[in-house]
Amino acid sequence: TCALPIYDKLAGYGRVRGNMQSVDSSNHITLYGHRGEMWENTDSGYATDSALLVDWSDSTMYTYVHADTLFTRQLPHRISVLVPQDSIWVDSTWIYPAPDTQWVDTSYMQVRAFYNVRLYREDIQVVCDSMHYNGKDSMALLVGDPVCWNEDNQVSADTITIHFKNNELDHLHGWGNAIMSKQEGDNEFDQMAGKEMYAYVRDGDIYLVDVQGNAETVFYPREEDGSYLGVNKTQSSFIQVYLKDRVVDYMIFTTATTGVMSPMSQATEDDKFLVTFFWAVQERPRRPGDVFLRPSRTPRPDAQAVSAASAEEEEEETSKPSSGETSKPSKDETTKPSTEETNKPASKPSDKEDTDKDSENTNTQTPPSTETEGSEGSESGSSETSKGEGDKTQNNEAGSSENGKTESNS
């Protein structure tokens, strides 16, 4: 239905101006707009100027999509259906033949939305530049600074795919600067980021987040009274976070994981926020009518700044501290001595003590520049001194024995 339709039946072409409404009863989709065109031969068309697509295949949860231009196309598709066969009675035995496979001709809808895409659905809301939905695999591809919201969680990445199963939200897949954030306080946000991210949904809520590649997290653990214990920042190759009742239940890290807990009073901005973090709640559609709003987009982190920060982190991990610096040893460093320490010969405490005694008796001090030579000289001197003392002892013993003989003779 429309105000000024132009229709060519032979060509199967129609053009619409003003209050356009196209209903697809087989796919339960209605397309609205003020201008549009349609082609019957290809079962395709588009709408622009306040374009809106409404998916009412689920009567309990409608989907509203708005963009500058919306293209729809119905494509043929064949699916296989198993048809059970009647059982047969042969020689007093029932025989059950295998089900027969039959092919059924059907169709699926393809939707392409270009520029300023805004989507509202009760369990997910989306803003991005462009979207491509394929009804064959029930997947929506989002490009151009896509951001998705599910309950209190914000998910963003360079590219995101939304997967549906039985008309219900199943999971989200984001890659390229993927990050999931949740606001905990006025300026406190739980964050999970990495190169690639999967967010799995059950009963409309995210229950598992799988972060792969340069995974980072920022969490704010709380005391029993609800106050913040501090800021916990971790880095790992991959992280799995399990949520229960929309709260983190437990996490799984790789063995090579580093983490720092900073008190709230000493936490810096780098401790509180990841490099790829941004908060775009003002862009979120809260109700179906919000898809027509045009809020300003939140500035994203600069790609060059993100790359530079990643390079700095890699340099910090690979660089070694200088001799004057003090750093906390890792687990491997504390449990396994180095090769130099293992091969180093044991010191001689007896020689060292003798050297110290001789140095005290002679009131001499070894120059720093000839420390090695002085130590060798001290060792040799101590040996000579001990040798001299031994000779004196032997002479005294010999003298005492001679005196004993003289007394006996007398």
Side-chain angles (χ1 to χ4, degrees):
T1 59
C2 63
L4 297 173
I6 299 175
Y7 180 66
D8 188 343
K9 186 175 182 180
L10 295 178
Y13 166 79
R15 187 174 63 184
V16 178
R17 295 290 184 272
N19 298 328
M20 167 189 166
Q21 180 179 346
S22 175
V23 180
D24 184 353
S25 57
S26 60
N27 292 286
H28 303 92
I29 288 177
T30 304
L31 184 63
Y32 300 90
H34 288 167
R35 289 189 300 164
E37 295 179 279
M38 59 161 297
W39 294 266
E40 288 184 348
N41 297 334
T42 58
D43 287 330
S44 61
Y46 78 89
T48 185
D49 192 359
S50 302
L52 175 67
L53 183 142
V54 180
D55 182 356
W56 41 278
S57 56
D58 185 358
S59 59
T60 61
M61 190 178 300
Y62 283 18
T63 303
Y64 303 85
V65 182
H66 166 69
D68 291 351
T69 306
L70 291 170
F71 291 87
T72 62
R73 186 178 182 183
Q74 188 170 328
L75 300 174
H77 180 51
R78 299 190 71 189
I79 59 175
S80 60
V81 179
L82 296 178
V83 179
Q85 302 296 314
D86 295 335
S87 58
I88 304 174
W89 179 263
V90 178
D91 296 334
S92 302
T93 303
W94 285 102
I95 298 177
Y96 298 92
D100 186 20
T101 302
Q102 295 183 0
W103 293 93
V104 178
D105 293 329
T106 181
S107 63
Y108 66 91
M109 181 61 68
Q110 186 181 81
V111 179
R112 292 178 296 165
F114 292 100
Y115 312 124
N116 301 309
V117 178
R118 295 174 62 82
L119 179 148
Y120 175 84
R121 180 179 155 126
E122 186 176 345
D123 55 354
I124 189 170
Q125 299 84 45
V126 174
V127 296
C128 63
D129 182 73
S130 301
M131 182 187 74
H132 183 189
Y133 174 77
N134 193 339
K136 183 178 180 180
D137 51 12
S138 300
M139 183 193 75
L141 173 65
L142 313 177
V143 296
D145 294 334
V147 185
C148 304
W149 292 271
N150 171 263
E151 298 300 337
D152 298 330
N153 302 302
Q154 174 184 294
V155 180
S156 64
D158 293 343
T159 306
I160 297 178
T161 55
I162 305 175
H163 299 259
F164 297 90
K165 187 175 182 180
N166 298 327
N167 205 28
E168 293 183 357
L169 181 62
D170 185 70
H171 70 275
L172 287 79
H173 177 202
W175 61 93
N177 298 318
I179 181 171
M180 174 174 166
S181 308
K182 178 183 178 182
Q183 188 171 13
E184 291 291 335
D186 294 337
N187 197 35
E188 292 79 28
F189 297 85
D190 289 342
Q191 304 155 55
M192 293 170 279
K195 291 183 178 179
E196 191 172 5
M197 177 183 295
Y198 293 86
Y200 297 93
V201 181
R202 180 192 296 154
D203 298 330
D205 293 334
I206 296 176
Y207 73 93
L208 170 61
V209 180
D210 188 357
V211 185
Q212 301 176 5
N214 296 340
E216 295 180 291
T217 64
V218 172
F219 285 104
Y220 290 81
R222 295 175 180 265
E223 299 281 5
E224 294 181 357
D225 58 357
S227 60
Y228 293 112
L229 182 63
V231 183
N232 187 5
K233 187 174 184 179
T234 59
Q235 296 177 345
S236 182
S237 57
F238 80 86
I239 298 174
Q240 288 184 338
V241 182
Y242 290 82
L243 297 94
K244 185 178 181 181
D245 297 331
R246 303 178 185 176
V247 180
V248 175
D249 190 18
Y250 62 95
M251 295 183 288
I252 299 176
F253 302 89
T254 58
T255 55
T257 300
T258 60
V260 177
M261 172 70 80
S262 303
M264 295 296 294
S265 59
Q266 301 177 7
T268 63
E269 293 296 314
D270 293 337
D271 297 330
K272 294 181 179 180
F273 301 102
L274 299 177
V275 180
T276 55
F277 171 79
F278 69 96
W279 191 243
V281 67
Q282 73 279 0
E283 302 179 32
R284 182 178 186 177
R286 297 284 185 178
R287 56 188 63 85
D290 289 349
V291 297
F292 290 103
L293 299 179
R294 288 288 186 88
S296 59
R297 300 299 303 270
T298 303
R300 270 53 171 176
D302 185 17
Q304 295 181 357
V306 173
S307 301
S310 302
E312 290 179 359
E313 291 178 358
E314 293 178 357
E315 290 179 359
E316 291 178 358
E317 292 178 358
T318 55
S319 62
K320 296 181 180 180
S322 61
S323 57
E325 295 178 353
T326 59
S327 61
K328 185 177 180 181
S330 63
K331 183 178 180 181
D332 296 338
E333 293 175 350
T334 55
T335 56
K336 296 181 181 180
S338 62
T339 306
E340 295 178 356
E341 294 176 354
T342 306
N343 297 332
K344 184 178 180 180
S347 60
K348 297 179 181 180
S350 60
D351 297 343
K352 185 177 181 181
E353 291 175 359
D354 294 340
T355 305
D356 295 340
K357 290 180 180 179
D358 294 337
S359 62
E360 291 176 358
N361 294 332
T362 57
N363 295 326
T364 59
Q365 185 175 2
T366 305
S369 60
T370 59
E371 182 178 359
T372 305
E373 296 176 357
S375 61
E376 291 178 355
S378 300
E379 290 180 358
S380 61
S382 61
S383 61
E384 292 176 358
T385 305
S386 60
K387 182 178 180 181
E389 291 177 355
D391 295 339
K392 291 180 181 180
T393 305
Q394 291 178 359
N395 295 332
N396 293 334
E397 290 178 355
S400 62
S401 60
E402 291 177 359
N403 295 332
K405 291 180 180 180
T406 306
E407 291 176 358
S408 61
N409 293 330
S410 64

